[in-house]
Amino acid sequence: MSGSGARAAYGAVGGVLPTDTTLDVRNRGAGVSAQVAVLPVGSFEQHGPFLPLATDTLVACAVAREIAAAYPVHLLPPVTVSCSHEHADWPGTVSISAVTLHAVVSDIAASLRRSGVDALVVVNGHGGNYVLGNVVQEASARGERMALFPAAEDWEAARERAGVVTSLLTDMHAGEIETSILLHAHPEFVRPGHESADFTADDRRHLLTVGMSAYTESGVIGRPSLGSAEKGKELLASLTAAFEPYLGLLTSPTGRE
C-alpha cells in the first residue's frame, strides 16, 4: 500500500499525544481494506546529562508521528515506562517487568481488535524491550496481525541515508542517532553538553548481568557530538519510507506481500 492515501495533516499535543476524535478514526477506517494501529513504546531512563529521561519515548513518538502523517494508520498514545532495568543505577530511571509490558501490549492489541482495528505495529524506541519481539511472535503464531518496527535493517539503512558515522554497535545509548532525532524533532529538550560527551564501549557482553554502569560513568555510550538536526530529519524520512512494506504485509488479504 502506498502512502499516497494518507491524510494530509496530523495533530499532536506537544508533538506526542494524538488529537484524533472518534469520528476521525471512523472516517479513516472507512477508506482502507484493513485498519492498522501504531503504538509507540519508549522508556523512562537516563540518557546522560543532556538528553531527557523520556528520550526513547520521544524518539518512538517522532517515528510514529511521521508514519501517521504519511500513511492511513491509527496513531495511539505512547507506552512511556518499559524495561530499563540496566539503567537502574541512575536517578530518575523507572521500569516495569517484562511480564507487565507483555501484558500491556497484548491487552492493547486485544482491545483494538474488539473495536475493529485489525493489526498493530509496535514502534519500539528502546533496545532493552526485548520482550516486544516475543509479543509479536506469539501474536503472529495465533493468527493475529502484528509487527515490530523498526528492524535493525531499517535502522542500518536509515543510518546510511542520514550519513550517521557511528555504527549501530557503537551508537548504543544517547549517541549520534538519538541526539540527532531530538535535535530535529525536539531541540528544546536537548541541553548543552552533547558536544563533548562522546564515550565508546563496544565490548558489552556482560551488560545484562552487570548493567550499564559497569561500562559508562556518564550514561553515554556513543558519539553524540556528531549529532545534527539534518541527520535526524533524514533518519526519520528513511524510517518512514521503510514502513511501507510493513503496512502492505499487514493489510494484505493473505498476510503476505
Side-chain angles (χ1 to χ4, degrees):
M1 176 182 293
S2 168
S4 60
R7 54 184 172 149
Y10 163 69
V13 176
V16 176
L17 295 180
T19 59
D20 280 339
T21 67
T22 186
L23 183 60
D24 294 329
V25 178
R26 178 179 296 154
N27 290 341
R28 190 184 311 112
V32 297
S33 59
Q35 293 191 65
V36 177
V38 173
L39 175 68
V41 179
S43 70
F44 200 74
E45 65 188 35
Q46 71 83 21
H47 276 77
F50 54 88
L51 293 182
L53 294 163
T55 290
D56 288 345
T57 299
L58 292 169
V59 168
C61 286
V63 174
R65 183 170 65 245
E66 294 295 320
I67 289 171
Y71 303 95
V73 298
H74 174 34
L75 182 61
L76 300 172
V79 175
T80 58
V81 177
S82 61
C83 302
S84 301
H85 311 282
E86 70 274 27
H87 299 277
D89 287 337
W90 280 272
T93 297
V94 182
S95 291
I96 58 178
S97 71
V99 172
T100 299
L101 183 57
H102 189 299
V104 167
V105 175
S106 297
D107 283 357
I108 289 171
S111 177
L112 288 165
R113 289 192 300 275
R114 288 193 294 271
S115 65
V117 179
D118 310 277
L120 176 64
V121 179
V122 179
V123 176
N124 182 33
H126 172 49
N129 288 336
Y130 309 112
V131 71
L132 293 178
N134 299 117
V135 176
V136 172
Q137 285 178 322
E138 293 167 16
S140 299
R142 291 191 297 266
E144 300 161 14
R145 297 201 175 196
M146 192 181 297
L148 183 61
F149 183 82
E153 293 86 351
D154 300 318
W155 278 117
E156 183 60 34
R159 187 188 71 81
E160 292 179 3
R161 169 171 168 171
V164 170
V165 176
T166 317
S167 70
L168 294 179
L169 172 65
T170 296
D171 196 53
M172 188 259 184
H173 193 71
E176 187 176 1
I177 288 176
E178 290 183 323
T179 301
S180 293
I181 291 177
L182 260 66
L183 284 171
H184 168 66
H186 295 285
E188 69 276 17
F189 297 148
V190 181
R191 301 188 185 187
H194 65 278
E195 306 88 347
S196 58
D198 293 4
F199 182 81
T200 59
D202 285 353
D203 186 346
R204 305 183 296 271
R205 69 187 70 190
H206 303 300
L207 176 66
L208 299 182
T209 301
V210 299
M212 280 280 290
S213 61
Y215 295 97
T216 171
E217 183 176 343
S218 68
V220 176
I221 296 180
R223 298 191 177 98
S225 70
L226 300 177
S228 72
E230 183 59 31
K231 290 178 182 178
K233 179 180 179 180
E234 289 301 313
L235 285 163
L236 292 177
S238 179
L239 292 174
T240 302
F243 182 78
E244 185 167 354
Y246 289 80
L247 185 61
L249 181 64
L250 291 173
T251 57
S252 167
T254 63
R256 298 179 183 274
E257 289 186 273

